Coordinates of all heavy atoms in Angstrom, one line a residue:
N256 N -9.0 20.0 23.8 CA -10.5 19.9 23.8 C -11.0 19.7 22.4 O -10.6 20.4 21.4 CB -11.1 21.1 24.4 CG -12.6 21.1 24.5 OD1 -13.2 21.7 23.7 ND2 -13.1 20.3 25.4
H257 N -11.9 18.7 22.2 CA -12.4 18.4 20.9 C -13.9 17.9 21.1 O -14.3 17.8 22.2 CB -11.5 17.4 20.2 CG -11.9 17.1 18.7 ND1 -12.3 18.1 17.9 CD2 -11.9 16.0 18.0 CE1 -12.5 17.6 16.7 NE2 -12.3 16.3 16.7
R290 N -12.2 19.5 30.6 CA -10.8 19.2 30.1 C -10.5 20.3 29.1 O -11.0 20.3 28.0 CB -10.8 17.8 29.5 CG -9.4 17.3 29.1 CD -9.5 15.8 28.7 NE -8.2 15.2 28.4 CZ -7.8 15.2 27.1 NH1 -8.5 15.7 26.1 NH2 -6.6 14.6 26.8
I331 N -31.0 21.8 23.5 CA -31.4 20.4 23.5 C -32.5 20.2 24.6 O -33.5 19.5 24.3 CB -30.2 19.5 23.8 CG1 -29.2 19.6 22.6 CG2 -30.7 18.1 24.0 CD1 -28.0 18.8 22.8
A360 N -30.9 15.7 29.5 CA -32.2 16.4 29.3 C -33.3 15.4 29.3 O -34.4 15.7 29.9 CB -32.1 17.1 27.9
H551 N 3.3 8.6 -4.5 CA 1.9 8.3 -4.8 C 1.1 8.2 -3.5 O 1.5 7.6 -2.6 CB 1.8 7.0 -5.6 CG 0.4 6.7 -6.0 ND1 -0.3 7.4 -6.9 CD2 -0.4 5.8 -5.5 CE1 -1.5 6.9 -7.0 NE2 -1.6 5.9 -6.2
G598 N -26.8 -12.4 -36.0 CA -26.9 -11.1 -35.3 C -26.9 -10.0 -36.3 O -27.1 -10.2 -37.5
E626 N -17.9 -4.1 -44.6 CA -16.8 -3.3 -45.1 C -15.5 -3.8 -44.5 O -14.5 -3.9 -45.2 CB -17.0 -1.8 -44.8 CG -18.1 -1.2 -45.7 CD -18.4 0.2 -45.2 OE1 -17.7 0.7 -44.3 OE2 -19.4 0.8 -45.8

Side-chain angles (χ1 to χ4, degrees):
N256 179 257
H257 188 41
R290 189 170 179 269
I331 293 175
H551 181 71
E626 290 174 2

